[in-house]
Amino acid sequence: LAMGAIGWRIVDAGRMSAIETACQAAMALCLVGLVAVALAGLSAGEGGMVALTGCAFAVGSVVSITLATLYAKRLHDQGASAAAVVATRFLGVLAAAAVALSLLPDARAAALAPVTWLALAPAAFVFMAVPIYFNQIGVKRASPLTVRVLLALGPVFLIALQTLAGGTALSGYSLAGVAAYCAIAIAAALMRALSARAVSAPAPA
């Protein structure tokens, strides 16, 4: 919504309709409400500065992921393969790891320990590298908005897994906010699909 307001387009996804704009604004309000719930201590976690710090990191992460998704779509449109895009994404990870290893002795000791490689390397490949690769394939074959909507359903799966695993308290306020956000995100994706179909439909003779 913010990128559309200032006219910043990484990919040409077409002009948003009034309904899409309303959905995007409603999603933004849901996010603001979820942040307010966290800061007030009404969520399952701790409120105050702890929640503010967590929300700040989460917002920065989401913005970065969104920009990465849009740029990946542009690269795919220019002919780059999913494997090539995934390979370039891990260059930043390697740079961050190098900084951490040079500044943090504990991280350096853990990275050199054989048990770390045996326990974490397979998990990192299965739960990070493989999903990112599949995500790049999805970005190549679907619109960025559709990909982001599907990723927005992540909290639903997280809540479901937490419920099955037990041991984690769930906040009714957070559940309501997440449910509203996901419902509006799905509506926005449907409106995007209908708008794209109307634009691509041939004009009547």
Side-chain angles (χ1 to χ4, degrees), residues 19-98:
I19 299 179
E20 288 180 82
T21 303
C23 288
Q24 297 292 324
M27 290 164 62
L29 289 176
C30 286
L31 293 177
V32 172
L34 287 171
V35 171
V37 167
L39 295 180
L42 299 176
S43 64
E46 185 177 350
M49 287 302 299
V50 174
L52 179 61
T53 303
C55 290
F57 277 109
V59 169
S61 174
V62 169
V63 171
S64 299
I65 292 173
T66 300
L67 294 177
T69 301
L70 292 173
Y71 275 112
K73 180 63 175 179
R74 170 184 281 187
L75 292 174
H76 286 311
D77 292 342
Q78 294 177 352
S81 66
V85 176
V86 171
T88 58
R89 291 185 67 172
F90 281 100
L91 294 176
V93 176
L94 291 175

Side-chain angles (χ1 to χ4, degrees), residues 9 28 31 40 66 69 72 94 107 109 126 129 140 175 188-190 193 197:
R9 291 187 179 181
L31 293 177
T66 300
T69 301
L94 291 175
V126 173
K140 184 175 183 178
L175 287 174
L190 292 176
R197 183 176 298 179

Side-chain angles (χ1 to χ4, degrees), residues 172-184:
Y173 297 101
S174 298
L175 287 174
V178 168
Y181 178 85
C182 292
I184 298 170

Side-chain angles (χ1 to χ4, degrees), residues 16 28 40 43 67 78 90 99 112 115 128 132 154 174 179 204:
M16 285 198 304
S43 64
L67 294 177
Q78 294 177 352
F90 281 100
V99 173
L112 296 177
V115 65
M128 292 184 63
I132 289 176
S174 298

Side-chain angles (χ1 to χ4, degrees), residues 115-158:
V115 65
T116 302
W117 289 91
L118 293 175
L120 298 183
F125 176 77
V126 173
F127 297 114
M128 292 184 63
V130 173
I132 289 176
Y133 177 73
F134 287 148
N135 178 65
Q136 296 304 136
I137 296 177
V139 170
K140 184 175 183 178
R141 298 179 180 272
S143 69
L145 179 60
T146 302
V147 174
R148 292 305 302 150
V149 168
L150 293 176
L151 293 178
L153 297 177
V156 176
F157 298 107
L158 178 61

